[in-house]
Amino acid sequence: MRWLVGWSSTTAGASGTGTAGATGYDGETLHPVGAHLLWGDPDPLWAVGDWRPDEVRVVRADAQNRIAVLGTCAAGDEELRRALFTARGGALRHLTAWAGSYTAVVQVGRRITVCGDLAGARPVFHTPWAGGTAYATAALPLADLIEANLDFGHLAALLAAPDVPAALRDTTPYEGVRRIPPGHALVLRAGAREIAGYEPVASLAVAAPPADPDRAVDAVRDALVEAVRARMSAPRHVPDLDPGPVPGMGPAERRAARGMPMPGIGADLSGGPASGTLALLAAGLPGRPGTLLGHGTGAGERLLAVTFNDLAVGGREAELERAGTLAANPRLHHVVVTGGEETLPYADLDGPLTDEPGPSLVTAARHRARFAAGSADHFTGHGARQVLDAHPARLADLLMDRKRRHLVRPVAALARADGSVMVPARVYGAARRLARTPYRTGLELLAERLIRRRFDEPRGAVGASLAALAWARPGPAARWLTGEALAEVSVLLGSGADRSTLGASQRPGEFHARAVLARYAADLRVLEQAAEIRSQRLHAPFLDNQVVRACRELPEALRVQPGARSAVLRTVLEGAGVTDLPPGWGTPSHASSAAATRAGLRLAADSLVDLFSTPFLAEAGLVEARVVRKALRAAAAGEPLPLDGLADLVSLELWLRRLLSRRGTCWTGTPARARAVPSGIQPRRDALASGA
């Protein structure tokens, strides 16, 4: 893991030391473990972890005016210096407008500004500390700093309503540690904190001006090309030297077995449109996109393309064939990674502690097998679906803007999938109700559903679309929570309905799209930490600020059309000069990950039942162990239960076990200081107190 951590104190010299650090409860001086000091007191900032030298840049105008940028950023030093002077007047948005994925921290006198990203893949957290405010790009260091206990209300909301911002609020799994929302910045002035939004929000009073589809798609192409170029322009990195040969193994197999990536740059090539677009864009840019000459295969000019072939579960033969056709490009070096039962979900549940829990913990080993065959810098297509596809609630947005004719094609596609002539009337009626339902009423309806335990939803594509045409709905794991936990979340929703204005200021489809993107980006961050390969960087350009902005400008009428994502990406490639795509490129795969998940669940059923013999989730009052064990056995036997809900339960239980079994802390100089959750899980006697 890599993160930033620092704090802003109320007065200069409040730390009580002459060097960067702070005085703890027992008079000790605190420093992050393994940290590199970027600047010192009175408001110190550290970079912690295995940052590369080119990933950390600090540009100074003078001793009290400086900017730190950590990550991949296309801005040069002179551009950063100009941005620093602009930021002195309070402007923020330009700090987030460079190509790449990065975190910017600006110090102007005693004012500190930390910018989060639009997707939520690079979050910012904060907590009160020593009379001021401590901040970090990871929650666990702050939890260690204040000896935070678990926030059971947040954990209950993660299971009961993970896609509802009013339930999750700005909380984290650690009590007292808060996160800033995507599209916002944390501004600290001598210890006092303020959350400032830097992205304009569209008004409900006036419809957005009509956007030109061709210009919007061109903007997506330009943003993607710049995002890829920002990574290609960065210095190339070679992993640690191979310690020597192994009989019967070639260099690639030896690196993969030892958890070492190939040198240079590579990309996923699944056969789908997102990964294929990035691989072809990277391979087509001028220069040498692939491995360094003299290392690896010797194919210095080629980009390493990795395809995962699941031997345990079939159904993706067409995608694999398309990936092979794309890999015939002479600028690509194709590697196929095969996986059997050992790479199924739930097959390998050992892994490192991540900053937060996430459902991807149950599939981390599956992804790690693919990443291990990749390069030191590896492109992934993660996030393309979330930034390009249309949430079903977008249909209500079109009705609000009086664009009914654009509903014809998506509704007709649903009717063909269902085979019923009643589908158009049902979908139109649900979209019309959503367009006329206030945000607060939507939260109240969800609270009532949780209290009354109404979790049944229609099945199939039409059923899923109808269920999504609501402001808020229960999560897939909600049906297995205790009545006390559901009541707690309903109380949180009631208080959120009173004070939340975020949803009320947006259209339902736009609101849902932002919430779904934030949840996906948070889980991708968990996956990167759980499946991390030493010396490797995973790049998800679709989650870059500029790419997210460009995708948000796509007209809703274009988004909702069937096959819109593949059509947009095909146009992006044509604009970049790539036209020879294989037949069927962009066709959605009918084989989903559900088959692999069910197969893995069936094979790991006994170990999962043992995991829930005495679960921490039951100690916390969130579930009853026998109920979860029964659900696991039923799902392994083939009953139609929501598999993603079981993944939420298993991953949260795994995360709690890893958190409570860890040793040490993120801070040095703490002989008398305990780590986060110092007393373990304490059974709650009054669970509703925290939400009241």
Side-chain angles (χ1 to χ4, degrees), residues 6 77 88 201 352 370 467 552 626 630:
D77 287 353
R88 294 174 66 175
V201 178
R370 182 177 82 255
R552 285 179 178 174
R626 62 175 182 82
K630 180 181 177 181

Side-chain angles (χ1 to χ4, degrees), residues 5 31 42 342 348 379 491 627 666:
V5 63
H31 300 278
E342 73 282 355
D348 182 6
F379 286 97
V491 171
V627 173
C666 294

Side-chain angles (χ1 to χ4, degrees), residues 12 89 126 186 212 249 267 271 443 484 543 633 644 662 681:
H126 63 91
L186 175 65
D212 179 38
M249 284 189 179
L443 295 183
E484 186 180 41
L543 298 181
R633 294 190 184 100
D644 44 356
R662 70 190 281 251
I681 292 181

Side-chain angles (χ1 to χ4, degrees), residues 251-263:
E253 294 89 355
R254 192 163 64 240
R255 287 192 180 92
R258 289 169 172 165
M260 296 173 57
M262 294 283 287

